[in-house]
Amino acid sequence: MTPATFQSIYEAYAPDVRRLTCYLVRDPDLAKEITSETFLRAWTGRMSIRTETAKAYLLAIARNLAIDHLRKPAQPLPIEDHHAVAHSPGTAPLELDEALAAISLLPEAYRDALLLAVVEDISYEETARILGVSLACVKIRVHRARLMLVESMSRKDIP
């Protein structure tokens, strides 16, 4: 792959990769690091990236890196950092915060299927390939995730 081709792929898909990782890890700085690592791995990988499946390939790498990070033991934030994050200027409106919190509470399998298929607008077939499950399984997971979100948002039981 030529550097020009890689640059065009980066420009086209970096925002999508960063958005997905931000949903998964809920930390913009860490999402930026994972996005960089995703493209580094894609660039240094043995396979060349096919442009027709580049987005799915990159999102699969990013998802795996985010999951690896989430499995590591968490480092607690000092109390003042919690306060700074919760009350920083320019935070999202309450409804968006509630929706993001509700998505983060979904079981991982449902959350990943929902984020890939609905938020990132990846086809169900490609989502199934990324997650390593059947097409029917993806459809069921997305449907159940939507039902869980509606129920959660209607009860307002989000922390």
Side-chain angles (χ1 to χ4, degrees):
M1 173 181 355
T2 67
T5 305
F6 186 80
Q7 179 67 26
S8 66
I9 289 173
Y10 178 83
E11 289 171 358
Y13 301 119
D16 297 328
V17 171
R18 188 160 190 265
R19 185 174 46 250
L20 175 67
T21 56
C22 212
Y23 280 125
L24 294 173
V25 299
R26 307 214 13 110
D27 178 352
D29 293 330
L30 180 58
K32 188 176 180 181
E33 289 178 32
I34 292 173
T35 299
S36 297
E37 180 68 19
T38 297
F39 281 93
L40 177 66
R41 288 192 184 194
W43 176 257
T44 59
R46 295 179 187 208
M47 298 176 18
S48 63
I49 299 175
R50 295 186 326 208
T51 54
E52 63 272 5
T53 60
K55 183 175 181 180
Y57 176 66
L58 292 165
L59 291 176
I61 293 171
R63 177 182 171 271
N64 290 336
L65 289 170
I67 288 171
D68 288 346
H69 176 76
L70 292 172
R71 288 184 179 150
K72 292 179 186 174
Q75 298 294 327
L77 286 174
I79 292 174
E80 58 275 358
D81 287 347
H82 284 289
H83 180 54
V85 170
H87 300 291
S88 62
T91 56
L94 185 58
E95 295 82 20
L96 180 57
D97 285 343
E98 290 173 356
L100 292 173
I103 290 171
S104 72
L105 293 175
L106 291 173
E108 181 180 325
Y110 297 104
R111 182 185 63 236
D112 291 351
L114 181 75
L115 290 174
L116 290 170
V118 178
V119 177
E120 294 300 329
D121 198 29
I122 302 273
S123 71
Y124 281 9
E125 292 82 7
E126 201 62 36
T127 299
R129 245 178 296 187
I130 290 170
L131 298 176
V133 297
S134 70
L135 176 62
C137 184
V138 168
K139 290 179 179 180
I140 290 168
R141 287 179 181 179
V142 169
H143 176 72
R144 288 182 181 165
R146 287 177 171 159
L147 292 176
M148 286 184 234
L149 284 176
V150 168
E151 181 180 334
S152 178
M153 294 295 290
S154 67
R155 287 188 318 207
K156 303 280 189 198
D157 65 349
I158 304 165

